[in-house]
Amino acid sequence: MTKSPMTTEEREGGSVFAPKFDSAGLLTAVVVDHGSGDVLVVAHMNAEALQATLSSGTVHFWSRSRGQLWMKGETSGHVLNVESILVDCDQDALVIRATPAGPTCHTGARSCFYRQIDASGGDAVLVKLPT
Amino acid sequence: MTKSPMTTEEREGGSVFAPKFDSAGLLTAVVVDHGSGDVLVVAHMNAEALQATLSSGTVHFWSRSRGQLWMKGETSGHVLNVESILVDCDQDALVIRATPAGPTCHTGARSCFYRQIDASGGDAVLVKLPT
C-alpha cells in the first residue's frame, strides 16, 4: 500500500517529523549559539547529514562545494554540540541550538556573520562588527 | 574593461557587498526577532527582493512556490521592520534583525519554529513548544 501524502495540516500541525528536502535534496540549517543566542552559521543538510547530526549529537552538513558529507569541525576540532533542534512550519528549515567547541567560521571568527551591511550612504558597504 | 573577479580574501574580509546568489538566483535570509533574539523565519531572496528590502526597510522575499516577489506581511499586515542586516563570510546568507508587526508565521505562531525535534525515543517526533 502506498502511504498517503501528508496533508498541509499534518505537515504544519502534526508531530510527525517529515523533513522536506528541495530539488537538490537539501534543507537549510541555521546554527545558533546556545549560550549567546547569536546565529553562528547557515548551511545545508541532505538526509545523510541530518541523520548523522541526530545520531551523533554533533552538527553535520552537506558541503555543496565539495559534494560530500561534512562534520563541522572535523579538521579544526571546532565541533558544534547539539543542544536542541527546531523545525519550521513546512519542515524545510531547521534551527539548531548548539554549544561550539571553538570559533565556528573558517576565518577564525566566532560566527560567520561578522559584518553588517551599511546602506545609509546609497551603495551598501560592509562594516566589521566588534569581536 | 572587465572587472576582475573578487578574490576569496576580498569576499571574506573586504567591505564590498557582493551578495552571492545560487544557481537559482537566490540567497538564504534568516530573520531574527530584534527583541527576543529568536529566529522567526528562514526564506529566500533574489536580487530584487534584496534590493526592495534595503530600500524600503521592510523584509521582502522571493516566493519559490509562487514564483514572485513577496513583501512579508503584505496581506496580513505583519511586516518585518529591518533593524540591521549581517552577511556571512562567503556572502551567500543574511541574518536580518527585525521588529515584527505581528506573528511572523502564516499559522499564527510568533515564529515559524514552534516545534522541537525529540529524537530520544529512536524515531524523531515533533513536540510543540510552549507559546
Side-chain angles (χ1 to χ4, degrees), chain A residues 12 15 85 106 114 117 126, chain B residues 12 15 85 106 114 117 126:
Chain A
E12 297 184 347
S15 62
I85 305 181
H106 73 285
Y114 49 83
I117 298 175
L126 302 182
Chain B
E12 297 185 347
S15 62
I85 306 181
H106 73 285
Y114 50 80
I117 298 175
L126 302 181

Side-chain angles (χ1 to χ4, degrees), chain A residues 3 15-19 51 54-55, chain B residues 116-127:
Chain A
K3 220 167 154 185
S15 62
V16 175
F17 181 44
Q51 186 50 49
L54 288 173
S55 60
Chain B
Q116 182 168 332
I117 298 175
D118 178 358
S120 60
D123 277 355
V125 294
L126 302 181
V127 179

Side-chain angles (χ1 to χ4, degrees), chain A residues 10-17 22 28 30 32 37 39 42 44 54 64 84-89 91-95 105-107 112-117 119 124-126 128-129, chain B residues 10-17 22 28 30 32 37 39 42 44 54 64 84-89 91-95 105-107 112-117 119 124-126 128-129:
Chain A
E10 288 167 339
R11 172 165 293 284
E12 297 184 347
S15 62
V16 175
F17 181 44
D22 69 11
T28 306
V30 178
V32 170
V39 176
V42 173
H44 297 85
L54 288 173
R64 293 186 297 180
S84 62
I85 305 181
L86 308 181
V87 64
D88 73 344
C89 46
Q91 303 202 33
D92 68 354
L94 303 177
V95 167
C105 189
H106 73 285
T107 62
C112 292
F113 295 87
Y114 49 83
R115 290 172 297 181
Q116 181 167 333
I117 298 175
V125 294
L126 302 182
K128 283 203 184 173
L129 297 173
Chain B
E10 287 167 341
R11 172 165 293 283
E12 297 185 347
S15 62
V16 176
F17 182 43
D22 69 11
T28 306
V30 178
V32 171
V39 175
V42 173
H44 296 85
L54 289 173
R64 293 188 296 179
S84 62
I85 306 181
L86 308 182
V87 65
D88 72 345
C89 46
Q91 304 203 34
D92 68 354
L94 303 177
V95 167
C105 189
H106 73 285
T107 62
C112 293
F113 294 87
Y114 50 80
R115 289 172 296 180
Q116 182 168 332
I117 298 175
V125 294
L126 302 181
K128 283 202 184 172
L129 297 173

Side-chain angles (χ1 to χ4, degrees), chain B residues 34 45 53-54 56-60 79-85 96-99:
Chain B
H34 185 60
M45 288 182 176
T53 300
L54 289 173
S56 70
T58 58
V59 174
H60 289 65
V79 297
L80 293 163
N81 293 298
V82 176
E83 302 288 348
S84 62
I85 306 181
I96 303 176
R97 293 190 74 95
T99 300

Side-chain angles (χ1 to χ4, degrees), chain B residues 7-56:
Chain B
T7 64
T8 301
E9 196 173 30
E10 287 167 341
R11 172 165 293 283
E12 297 185 347
S15 62
V16 176
F17 182 43
K20 196 164 84 179
F21 299 97
D22 69 11
S23 57
L26 302 173
L27 51 72
T28 306
V30 178
V31 181
V32 171
D33 187 324
H34 185 60
S36 68
D38 290 341
V39 175
L40 295 175
V41 61
V42 173
H44 296 85
M45 288 182 176
N46 62 357
E48 185 186 6
L50 173 59
Q51 187 49 50
T53 300
L54 289 173
S55 60
S56 70

Side-chain angles (χ1 to χ4, degrees), chain A residues 12-61:
Chain A
E12 297 184 347
S15 62
V16 175
F17 181 44
K20 195 163 84 178
F21 299 97
D22 69 11
S23 58
L26 302 173
L27 50 71
T28 306
V30 178
V31 181
V32 170
D33 187 325
H34 185 61
S36 68
D38 290 342
V39 176
L40 295 175
V41 60
V42 173
H44 297 85
M45 289 183 176
N46 62 357
E48 185 187 4
L50 173 59
Q51 186 50 49
T53 300
L54 288 173
S55 60
S56 70
T58 59
V59 174
H60 289 64
F61 296 127

